[in-house]
């Protein structure tokens, strides 16, 4: 029944894509599987003579290819994979959440880590490499909660850096206090907790796909962007970052040999750190 339904789908697709041709035979030649997808490869023969390959799978769009002289199934398959990979790459690039941090580097280390992870999300990664990316996203969550707790840890030192959801809730109670902010707190908490849970599952999942990572990464970027908006929108303006030597405001953020980050003044080349509590003005 499944086979019949799948071939009916192929037949319907063929007639929607062609004119003046009549199918004489549909044959499932092979199923090709990779760590990203499984594709059924069909050969369609027509009464009029032209033959076609059709590739169909659960995660990629179906597509039809006229068979040219001496063209093998493998040659057509790799043409299809090339086209689909390009399509997916463009889709990934076009659907990343616009990064609020491009204009407001409130969390400079996380900003840099986000950019690094974004470059690493590619279709050629295997499941083990993608699990590694999930671990990197988890580290970003922990870095984020450490930043947030710098603002409120003195009020409640019992919170630990590896408890993201509780730390975020404590931070939101501080920055968005009162009954009037309850809906905002609950909404942000809901998104963050689901994002944290999803990524935690990917860390331990055996068959992680690039689309799993893309979803988790987008959710994390959304959380960071939301928190940036919360901070900016709640009368918490920023001190300008100044070089301690020359007081210049023109600087770069670079990674050190210890995999940490620091500012480097473009004027006098001084290396220096700035704590989050020094960037955010006291209210």
């Amino acid at each position: 029944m499944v086979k019949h339904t799948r071939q009916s789908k192929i037949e319907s697709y063929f007639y929607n894509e062609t004119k003046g041709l009549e199918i004489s035979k549909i044959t499932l030649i092979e199923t090709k599987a990779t760590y990203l997808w499984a594709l059924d490869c069909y050969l369609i023969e027509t009464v009029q003579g032209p033959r076609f390959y059709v590739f169909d799978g659960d995660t990629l769009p179906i597509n039809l290819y006229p068979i040219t002289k001496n063209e093998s199934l493998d040659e057509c398959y790799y043409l299809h994979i090339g086209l689909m990979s390009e399509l997916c790459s463009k889709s990934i690039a076009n659907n990343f959440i616009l990064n609020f941090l491009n204009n407001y580097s409130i969390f400079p280390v996380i900003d840099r880590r986000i950019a690094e992870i974004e470059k690493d999300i590619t279709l050629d990664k295997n499941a083990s490499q993608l699990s590694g990316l999930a671990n990197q996203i988890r580290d970003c969550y922990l870095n984020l909660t450490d930043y947030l707790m710098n603002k409120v840890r003195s009020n409640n030192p019992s919170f630990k850096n590896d408890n993201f959801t509780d730390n975020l809730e404590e931070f939101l109670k501080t920055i968005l206090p009162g009954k009037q902010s309850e809906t905002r707190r609950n909404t942000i908490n809901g998104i963050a907790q689901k994002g944290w849970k999803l990524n935690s599952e990917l860390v331990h999942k055996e068959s992680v796909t690039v689309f799993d990572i893309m979803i988790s990464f987008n959710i994390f970027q959304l959380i960071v962007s939301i928190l940036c908006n919360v901070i900016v929108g709640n009368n918490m303006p920023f001190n300008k970052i100044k070089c301690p030597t020359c007081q210049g405001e023109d600087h770069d953020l670079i990674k050190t040999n210890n995999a940490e980050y620091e500012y480097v003044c473009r004027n006098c080349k001084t290396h220096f750190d700035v704590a989050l509590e020094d960037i955010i003005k006291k209210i």
Side-chain angles (χ1 to χ4, degrees), residues 18-41:
T18 63
K19 292 183 179 180
L21 295 174
E22 182 181 352
I23 296 174
S24 61
K25 187 178 181 180
I26 299 178
T27 306
L28 175 60
I29 302 177
E30 186 178 349
T31 296
K32 293 182 178 289
T34 71
Y35 61 86
L36 282 178
W37 46 61
L39 290 177
D40 290 331
C41 310

Side-chain angles (χ1 to χ4, degrees), residues 6-20:
R6 183 60 65 89
Q7 290 201 0
S8 296
K9 172 187 174 183
I10 299 299
E11 182 177 333
S12 176
Y13 169 77
F14 178 84
Y15 284 123
N16 285 333
E17 295 294 316
T18 63
K19 292 183 179 180

